[in-house]
Protein backbone atom coordinates (compact mmCIF):
# COMPACT_ATOMS: atom_id res chain seq x y z
CA UNK A 1 0.00 0.00 0.00
CA UNK A 2 2.51 2.58 -1.17
CA UNK A 3 0.09 4.54 -3.35
CA UNK A 4 -0.57 8.10 -2.31
CA UNK A 5 -4.13 9.40 -1.85
CA UNK A 6 -4.68 13.07 -2.67
CA UNK A 7 -7.60 14.49 -0.69
CA UNK A 8 -8.94 17.78 -2.09
CA UNK A 9 -11.04 20.14 0.05
CA UNK A 10 -12.50 23.30 -1.56
CA UNK A 11 -12.90 25.96 1.13
CA UNK A 12 -14.96 29.13 1.31
CA UNK A 13 -15.87 30.79 4.62
CA UNK A 14 -16.24 27.63 6.69
CA UNK A 15 -14.14 28.37 9.77
CA UNK A 16 -16.58 26.61 12.12
CA UNK A 17 -16.45 23.22 10.38
CA UNK A 18 -13.01 23.29 8.74
CA UNK A 19 -10.96 21.94 11.68
CA UNK A 20 -13.10 18.79 11.90
CA UNK A 21 -12.81 18.21 8.15
CA UNK A 22 -9.01 18.63 8.15
CA UNK A 23 -8.46 16.49 11.23
CA UNK A 24 -10.64 13.69 9.84
CA UNK A 25 -8.12 13.46 6.98
CA UNK A 26 -4.77 13.90 8.76
CA UNK A 27 -5.84 11.38 11.43
CA UNK A 28 -6.65 8.66 8.89
CA UNK A 29 -5.23 5.21 9.60
CA UNK A 30 -3.86 5.32 6.05
CA UNK A 31 -0.86 7.63 6.36
CA UNK A 32 0.37 8.06 2.77
CA UNK A 33 -1.80 11.03 1.89
CA UNK A 34 -1.52 14.59 0.72
CA UNK A 35 -4.22 16.99 1.78
CA UNK A 36 -4.82 19.86 -0.64
CA UNK A 37 -6.69 22.77 0.92
CA UNK A 38 -8.00 25.16 -1.72
CA UNK A 39 -8.94 28.48 -0.14
CA UNK A 40 -11.39 29.99 -2.62
CA UNK A 41 -11.05 33.60 -1.50
CA UNK A 42 -12.42 33.16 2.03
CA UNK A 43 -12.96 36.35 4.02
CA UNK A 44 -13.28 34.69 7.45
CA UNK A 45 -10.55 32.85 9.37
CA UNK A 46 -10.51 29.83 7.01
CA UNK A 47 -7.39 30.95 5.12
CA UNK A 48 -5.38 31.42 8.34
CA UNK A 49 -6.56 28.02 9.57
CA UNK A 50 -5.28 26.39 6.39
CA UNK A 51 -1.83 27.95 6.81
CA UNK A 52 -1.70 26.97 10.48
CA UNK A 53 -2.45 23.31 9.75
CA UNK A 54 0.07 23.29 6.89
CA UNK A 55 2.79 24.39 9.31
CA UNK A 56 1.92 21.48 11.57
CA UNK A 57 1.75 18.73 8.96
CA UNK A 58 4.03 18.50 5.92
CA UNK A 59 1.43 16.43 4.06
CA UNK A 60 -0.78 19.50 3.71
CA UNK A 61 -0.64 21.83 0.69
CA UNK A 62 -2.50 25.14 0.66
CA UNK A 63 -3.70 27.01 -2.42
CA UNK A 64 -4.99 30.56 -1.96
CA UNK A 65 -6.99 31.89 -4.91
CA UNK A 66 -9.61 34.46 -5.82
CA UNK A 67 -13.17 33.32 -5.32
CA UNK A 68 -14.40 31.50 -8.42
CA UNK A 69 -16.64 28.75 -7.07
CA UNK A 70 -16.32 25.13 -5.98
CA UNK A 71 -15.65 23.76 -9.48
CA UNK A 72 -12.69 26.07 -10.07
CA UNK A 73 -11.38 25.28 -6.59
CA UNK A 74 -11.52 21.53 -7.23
CA UNK A 75 -9.85 21.97 -10.61
CA UNK A 76 -7.02 23.85 -8.92
CA UNK A 77 -6.68 21.03 -6.44
CA UNK A 78 -6.53 18.45 -9.22
CA UNK A 79 -3.80 20.40 -11.01
CA UNK A 80 -1.71 20.43 -7.82
CA UNK A 81 -2.28 16.78 -6.85
CA UNK A 82 0.48 14.16 -7.10
CA UNK A 83 -1.24 11.07 -5.68
CA UNK A 84 -2.29 7.95 -7.54
CA UNK A 85 -5.80 8.27 -6.13
CA UNK A 86 -8.13 11.28 -5.76
CA UNK A 87 -10.67 11.76 -2.98
CA UNK A 88 -12.93 14.80 -2.67
CA UNK A 89 -14.18 16.07 0.67
CA UNK A 90 -16.35 19.13 1.31
CA UNK A 91 -15.30 21.48 4.12
CA UNK A 92 -18.58 20.93 6.00
CA UNK A 93 -18.08 17.17 6.13
CA UNK A 94 -15.75 14.53 7.59
CA UNK A 95 -14.39 11.07 6.82
CA UNK A 96 -14.42 8.05 9.12
CA UNK A 97 -10.93 7.28 10.42
CA UNK A 98 -10.22 4.10 8.45
CA UNK A 99 -12.18 4.66 5.24
CA UNK A 100 -9.19 5.54 3.03
CA UNK A 101 -7.37 2.41 4.17
CA UNK A 102 -10.44 0.30 3.40
CA UNK A 103 -10.74 1.89 -0.02
CA UNK A 104 -7.08 1.41 -1.01
CA UNK A 105 -7.15 -2.22 0.20
CA UNK A 106 -10.21 -2.80 -2.01
CA UNK A 107 -8.49 -1.71 -5.22
CA UNK A 108 -8.11 -4.52 -7.76
CA UNK A 109 -9.10 -2.93 -11.05
CA UNK A 110 -8.43 0.65 -12.17
CA UNK A 111 -11.60 0.61 -14.31
CA UNK A 112 -13.76 0.65 -11.18
CA UNK A 113 -15.31 3.37 -9.05
CA UNK A 114 -14.71 2.48 -5.41
CA UNK A 115 -17.53 3.99 -3.41
CA UNK A 116 -18.49 4.15 0.26
CA UNK A 117 -21.71 5.17 1.93
CA UNK A 118 -22.65 8.12 4.10
CA UNK A 119 -24.12 9.29 7.36
CA UNK A 120 -26.26 12.43 7.29
CA UNK A 121 -25.58 14.68 10.30
CA UNK A 122 -28.20 17.21 11.47
CA UNK A 123 -26.52 19.07 14.33
CA UNK A 124 -25.60 16.26 16.73
CA UNK A 125 -28.12 13.83 15.29
CA UNK A 126 -26.87 11.16 12.88
CA UNK A 127 -28.99 9.36 10.30
CA UNK A 128 -27.34 6.44 8.58
CA UNK A 129 -27.85 5.81 4.90
CA UNK A 130 -29.34 2.60 3.59
CA UNK A 131 -27.41 -0.52 2.67
CA UNK A 132 -25.70 -0.06 -0.68
CA UNK A 133 -26.29 -2.68 -3.34
CA UNK A 134 -24.74 -3.06 -6.78
CA UNK A 135 -24.28 -5.74 -9.43
CA UNK A 136 -22.70 -6.01 -12.85
CA UNK A 137 -23.86 -2.79 -14.46
CA UNK A 138 -23.63 -1.85 -18.10
CA UNK A 139 -22.11 1.47 -19.17
CA UNK A 140 -25.61 2.72 -19.98
CA UNK A 141 -26.83 1.82 -16.50
CA UNK A 142 -23.87 3.44 -14.73
CA UNK A 143 -24.36 6.70 -16.60
CA UNK A 144 -28.13 6.57 -16.11
CA UNK A 145 -27.72 6.20 -12.34
CA UNK A 146 -25.39 9.21 -12.30
CA UNK A 147 -28.01 11.25 -14.17
CA UNK A 148 -30.61 10.16 -11.64
CA UNK A 149 -32.36 7.14 -13.12
CA UNK A 150 -33.21 4.18 -10.88
CA UNK A 151 -31.95 0.72 -11.85
CA UNK A 152 -33.71 -2.33 -10.43
CA UNK A 153 -31.99 -4.14 -7.53
CA UNK A 154 -29.35 -1.41 -7.26
CA UNK A 155 -28.98 1.11 -4.43
CA UNK A 156 -25.96 3.40 -4.63
CA UNK A 157 -27.40 6.03 -2.29
CA UNK A 158 -28.92 9.45 -2.90
CA UNK A 159 -25.45 11.03 -2.95
CA UNK A 160 -24.04 8.82 -5.69
CA UNK A 161 -24.11 11.79 -8.09
CA UNK A 162 -21.60 13.54 -5.81
CA UNK A 163 -17.87 13.06 -6.37
CA UNK A 164 -17.48 12.75 -2.60
CA UNK A 165 -17.36 9.31 -0.99
CA UNK A 166 -15.36 7.77 -3.84
CA UNK A 167 -11.80 6.71 -4.62
CA UNK A 168 -10.95 7.87 -8.15
CA UNK A 169 -7.86 7.23 -10.28
CA UNK A 170 -5.73 10.30 -10.91
CA UNK A 171 -4.34 9.04 -14.21
CA UNK A 172 -7.82 8.57 -15.69
CA UNK A 173 -8.71 12.14 -14.72
CA UNK A 174 -5.49 13.74 -15.93
CA UNK A 175 -4.87 11.74 -19.10
CA UNK A 176 -8.40 12.47 -20.32
CA UNK A 177 -8.43 16.06 -19.07
CA UNK A 178 -11.56 15.59 -17.00
CA UNK A 179 -12.46 18.81 -15.22
CA UNK A 180 -15.43 20.26 -13.38
CA UNK A 181 -17.52 22.67 -15.51
CA UNK A 182 -16.82 26.04 -13.91
CA UNK A 183 -19.99 27.62 -15.27
CA UNK A 184 -22.12 25.26 -13.14
CA UNK A 185 -22.70 25.19 -9.40
CA UNK A 186 -25.56 22.67 -9.59
CA UNK A 187 -24.96 19.25 -11.12
CA UNK A 188 -21.25 19.84 -11.70
CA UNK A 189 -20.41 16.67 -9.79
CA UNK A 190 -22.66 14.56 -12.00
CA UNK A 191 -21.14 16.00 -15.18
CA UNK A 192 -17.63 15.23 -13.88
CA UNK A 193 -18.65 11.65 -13.00
CA UNK A 194 -20.32 11.13 -16.37
CA UNK A 195 -17.09 12.05 -18.13
CA UNK A 196 -15.09 9.86 -15.73
CA UNK A 197 -17.45 6.88 -16.11
CA UNK A 198 -16.62 6.65 -19.83
CA UNK A 199 -13.36 5.00 -18.71
CA UNK A 200 -14.68 2.63 -16.04
CA UNK A 201 -16.54 -0.67 -16.26
CA UNK A 202 -18.02 -1.26 -12.82
CA UNK A 203 -18.71 0.04 -9.32
CA UNK A 204 -17.55 -1.59 -6.09
CA UNK A 205 -18.92 -0.85 -2.64
CA UNK A 206 -16.16 -0.36 -0.06
CA UNK A 207 -18.39 0.23 2.97
CA UNK A 208 -21.94 1.27 3.84
CA UNK A 209 -20.58 4.29 5.69
CA UNK A 210 -17.42 6.35 5.80
CA UNK A 211 -18.55 9.82 4.68
CA UNK A 212 -20.32 12.14 7.14
CA UNK A 213 -22.48 14.67 5.31
CA UNK A 214 -23.43 17.63 7.48
CA UNK A 215 -26.58 19.61 6.72
CA UNK A 216 -26.84 23.08 8.27
CA UNK A 217 -29.36 25.90 8.13
CA UNK A 218 -27.14 27.70 5.62
CA UNK A 219 -26.80 24.75 3.23
CA UNK A 220 -27.32 25.63 -0.43
CA UNK A 221 -30.23 23.18 -0.67
CA UNK A 222 -32.36 25.59 1.40
CA UNK A 223 -31.71 28.78 -0.57
CA UNK A 224 -33.59 30.40 -3.46
CA UNK A 225 -31.56 30.28 -6.67
CA UNK A 226 -32.56 32.97 -9.20
CA UNK A 227 -30.53 31.34 -12.00
CA UNK A 228 -31.73 27.79 -11.44
CA UNK A 229 -33.35 27.59 -14.89
CA UNK A 230 -30.06 28.53 -16.59
CA UNK A 231 -28.20 25.95 -14.50
CA UNK A 232 -30.60 23.16 -15.51
CA UNK A 233 -30.55 24.24 -19.16
CA UNK A 234 -26.76 23.97 -19.26
CA UNK A 235 -26.90 20.53 -17.66
CA UNK A 236 -29.44 19.11 -20.08
CA UNK A 237 -27.48 20.36 -23.09
CA UNK A 238 -24.39 18.56 -21.76
CA UNK A 239 -26.43 15.39 -21.20
CA UNK A 240 -27.76 15.50 -24.76
CA UNK A 241 -24.24 15.98 -26.12
CA UNK A 242 -22.95 12.99 -24.15
CA UNK A 243 -25.84 10.84 -25.34
CA UNK A 244 -25.29 11.70 -29.00
CA UNK A 245 -21.49 11.52 -28.94
CA UNK A 246 -21.23 8.24 -27.02
CA UNK A 247 -24.23 6.54 -28.68
CA UNK A 248 -25.56 5.46 -25.30
CA UNK A 249 -29.05 4.36 -24.31
CA UNK A 250 -29.55 7.01 -21.62
CA UNK A 251 -32.62 8.76 -23.02
CA UNK A 252 -34.86 7.41 -20.20
CA UNK A 253 -32.46 8.95 -17.69
CA UNK A 254 -32.56 12.28 -19.53
CA UNK A 255 -36.36 12.18 -19.48
CA UNK A 256 -36.23 11.54 -15.72
CA UNK A 257 -33.90 14.53 -15.46
CA UNK A 258 -36.49 16.67 -17.27
CA UNK A 259 -39.02 15.86 -14.57
CA UNK A 260 -36.46 16.47 -11.85
CA UNK A 261 -35.82 19.91 -13.32
CA UNK A 262 -39.53 20.69 -13.52
CA UNK A 263 -40.02 19.67 -9.90
CA UNK A 264 -36.96 21.65 -8.74
CA UNK A 265 -38.03 24.81 -10.58
CA UNK A 266 -41.48 24.79 -9.00
CA UNK A 267 -40.02 24.18 -5.55
CA UNK A 268 -37.42 26.92 -6.08
CA UNK A 269 -40.08 29.40 -7.16
CA UNK A 270 -42.10 28.67 -4.04
CA UNK A 271 -39.02 29.44 -1.94
CA UNK A 272 -38.51 32.67 -3.91
CA UNK A 273 -42.10 33.78 -3.36
CA UNK A 274 -41.97 32.89 0.34
CA UNK A 275 -38.75 34.90 0.74
CA UNK A 276 -40.27 37.79 -1.28
CA UNK A 277 -37.60 37.50 -3.97
CA UNK A 278 -40.21 37.17 -6.72
CA UNK A 279 -43.84 38.19 -7.14
CA UNK A 280 -46.87 35.91 -7.25
CA UNK A 281 -47.09 36.47 -11.00
CA UNK A 282 -43.46 35.41 -11.50
CA UNK A 283 -43.73 32.36 -9.26
CA UNK A 284 -43.97 29.60 -11.90
CA UNK A 285 -42.48 31.45 -14.86
CA UNK A 286 -39.29 29.33 -15.04
CA UNK A 287 -41.15 26.04 -14.66
CA UNK A 288 -43.46 26.97 -17.55
CA UNK A 289 -40.49 27.78 -19.78
CA UNK A 290 -38.79 24.48 -18.86
CA UNK A 291 -41.93 22.45 -19.60
CA UNK A 292 -42.46 24.22 -22.93
CA UNK A 293 -38.86 23.59 -24.03
CA UNK A 294 -38.60 19.96 -22.95
CA UNK A 295 -42.13 18.55 -23.05
CA UNK A 296 -41.23 16.83 -26.34
CA UNK A 297 -38.89 14.64 -24.28
CA UNK A 298 -41.22 14.34 -21.31
CA UNK A 299 -44.02 13.05 -23.53
CA UNK A 300 -42.10 10.32 -25.36
CA UNK A 301 -44.31 7.24 -25.48
CA UNK A 302 -41.39 4.85 -25.89
CA UNK A 303 -39.72 5.81 -22.60
CA UNK A 304 -40.33 3.37 -19.75
CA UNK A 305 -41.10 5.29 -16.56
CA UNK A 306 -40.49 2.56 -13.97
CA UNK A 307 -37.06 3.95 -13.11
CA UNK A 308 -38.44 7.31 -12.03
CA UNK A 309 -39.27 8.40 -8.52
CA UNK A 310 -42.95 8.19 -7.54
CA UNK A 311 -43.69 11.84 -8.23
CA UNK A 312 -41.89 11.84 -11.58
CA UNK A 313 -43.63 8.62 -12.60
CA UNK A 314 -47.03 10.16 -11.93
CA UNK A 315 -46.06 13.26 -13.89
CA UNK A 316 -44.92 11.04 -16.74
CA UNK A 317 -48.23 9.19 -16.92
CA UNK A 318 -50.28 12.36 -17.31
CA UNK A 319 -47.84 14.35 -19.44
CA UNK A 320 -49.29 13.15 -22.76
CA UNK A 321 -52.70 14.70 -22.21
CA UNK A 322 -52.44 17.11 -19.27
CA UNK A 323 -51.32 20.73 -19.77
CA UNK A 324 -48.85 22.60 -17.56
CA UNK A 325 -51.47 23.54 -14.99
CA UNK A 326 -52.17 19.86 -14.26
CA UNK A 327 -48.47 19.16 -13.89
CA UNK A 328 -48.20 22.06 -11.46
CA UNK A 329 -51.02 20.86 -9.19
CA UNK A 330 -49.55 17.37 -8.98
CA UNK A 331 -46.14 18.73 -8.00
CA UNK A 332 -47.69 21.16 -5.51
CA UNK A 333 -49.65 18.29 -3.91
CA UNK A 334 -46.51 16.22 -3.41
CA UNK A 335 -44.51 19.21 -2.15
CA UNK A 336 -47.04 19.66 0.69
CA UNK A 337 -46.25 16.10 1.76
CA UNK A 338 -42.46 16.58 1.87
Amino acid sequence: MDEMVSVIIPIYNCESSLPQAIESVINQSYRNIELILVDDGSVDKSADMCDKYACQDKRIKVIHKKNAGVSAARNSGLASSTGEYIVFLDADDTLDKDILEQAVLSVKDRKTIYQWGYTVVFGKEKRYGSTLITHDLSKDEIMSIIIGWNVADVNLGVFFRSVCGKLLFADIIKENRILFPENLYIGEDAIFLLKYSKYIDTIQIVSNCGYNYRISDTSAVGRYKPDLLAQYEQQIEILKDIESQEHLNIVPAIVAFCYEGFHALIKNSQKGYHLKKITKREQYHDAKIWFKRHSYLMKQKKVESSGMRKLHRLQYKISRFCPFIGQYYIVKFFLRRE
Side-chain angles (χ1 to χ4, degrees):
M1 292 199 305
D2 295 330
E3 296 88 352
M4 178 182 285
V5 179
S6 296
V7 181
I8 299 171
I9 304 182
I11 297 161
Y12 181 71
N13 292 352
C14 48
E15 61 182 22
S16 62
S17 60
L18 185 57
Q20 294 95 326
I22 292 175
E23 289 170 18
S24 77
V25 177
I26 61 178
N27 292 325
Q28 285 287 310
S29 58
Y30 190 79
R31 306 302 297 170
N32 191 14
I33 64 170
E34 66 172 1
L35 175 56
I36 303 174
L37 305 175
V38 186
D39 167 36
D40 189 33
S42 297
V43 295
D44 64 358
K45 297 179 181 178
S46 297
D48 292 335
M49 286 181 174
C50 292
D51 293 335
K52 181 180 178 181
Y53 274 102
C55 290
Q56 298 171 357
D57 194 322
K58 294 181 180 179
R59 300 175 299 170
I60 298 178
K61 297 180 181 179
V62 180
I63 300 172
H64 295 290
K65 60 186 295 296
K66 292 182 179 180
N67 178 253
V70 64
S71 291
R74 285 174 173 165
N75 288 338
S76 294
L78 285 171
S80 179
S81 65
T82 60
E84 285 79 12
Y85 305 121
I86 301 292
V87 169
F88 292 101
L89 174 65
D90 287 344
D92 290 337
D93 307 331
T94 61
L95 297 174
D96 286 351
K97 187 174 183 178
D98 63 346
I99 192 60
L100 296 185
E101 183 176 9
Q102 289 186 55
V104 174
L105 284 172
S106 299
V107 173
K108 297 177 182 177
D109 180 2
R110 67 186 299 275
K111 290 190 174 183
T112 300
I113 292 178
Y114 294 89
Q115 180 200 351
W116 51 90
Y118 61 90
T119 302
V120 177
V121 182
F122 296 90
K124 296 183 178 180
E125 180 185 359
K126 291 187 176 182
R127 299 181 185 178
Y128 292 91
S130 55
T131 300
L132 303 181
I133 303 170
T134 187
H135 57 63
D136 293 332
L137 296 168
S138 68
K139 188 80 69 177
D140 292 348
E141 288 176 321
I142 291 172
M143 288 193 164
S144 293
I145 293 171
I146 294 171
I147 295 171
W149 179 260
N150 297 323
V151 175
D153 302 323
V154 173
N155 176 26
L156 296 176
V158 296
F159 296 119
F160 180 69
R161 296 179 70 191
S162 169
V163 292
C164 298
K166 297 171 181 64
L167 189 75
L168 306 175
F169 289 85
D171 59 347
I172 291 179
I173 294 171
K174 294 182 178 182
E175 289 173 8
N176 298 290
R177 299 179 181 179
I178 301 172
L179 296 172
F180 289 89
E182 297 186 8
N183 58 335
L184 290 178
Y185 67 87
I186 297 172
E188 73 281 357
D189 285 32
I191 299 303
F192 182 94
L193 285 175
L194 282 172
K195 294 177 180 178
Y196 184 89
S197 65
K198 289 166 56 178
Y199 307 99
I200 63 100
D201 295 327
T202 189
I203 299 163
Q204 181 174 326
I205 306 302
V206 173
S207 172
N208 282 315
C209 55
Y211 192 95
N212 302 295
Y213 178 75
R214 184 185 291 124
I215 295 181
S216 66
D217 294 337
T218 58
S219 296
V221 292
R223 297 199 298 266
Y224 168 67
K225 305 174 185 67
D227 60 342
L228 188 62
L229 175 61
Q231 288 285 306
Y232 268 96
E233 289 290 3
Q234 290 178 65
Q235 287 185 69
I236 200 166
E237 289 306 313
I238 293 172
L239 295 180
K240 290 177 182 177
D241 287 344
I242 291 174
E243 188 271 335
S244 61
Q245 292 171 11
E246 302 300 324
H247 306 291
L248 296 166
N249 182 27
I250 58 173
V251 171
I254 295 176
V255 173
F257 179 82
C258 288
Y259 285 105
E260 176 191 326
F262 181 74
H263 175 273
L265 288 165
I266 287 181
K267 195 168 185 178
N268 186 60
S269 70
Q270 291 181 334
K271 290 177 189 174
Y273 178 67
H274 177 72
L275 295 171
K276 298 182 179 180
K277 301 288 187 181
I278 57 175
T279 65
K280 184 72 173 179
R281 186 173 183 178
E282 297 170 318
Q283 190 171 0
Y284 301 109
H285 178 261
D286 288 352
K288 290 178 180 179
I289 292 176
W290 178 265
F291 186 77
K292 183 177 181 180
R293 289 176 180 172
H294 306 296
S295 59
Y296 77 95
L297 269 173
M298 298 163 75
K299 296 178 180 180
Q300 286 195 63
K301 296 182 179 181
K302 295 181 180 180
V303 175
E304 173 55 48
S305 65
S306 61
M308 297 182 189
R309 290 193 291 131
K310 186 176 181 180
L311 169 58
H312 299 165
R313 189 162 58 246
L314 182 56
Q315 286 179 255
Y316 174 81
K317 289 181 178 180
I318 68 160
S319 65
R320 297 174 211 161
F321 56 85
C322 191
F324 171 83
I325 193 67
Q327 296 270 327
Y328 151 66
Y329 278 117
I330 285 178
V331 175
K332 188 175 180 180
F333 171 76
F334 275 87
L335 287 178
R336 287 201 303 265
R337 302 173 61 183
E338 291 185 355

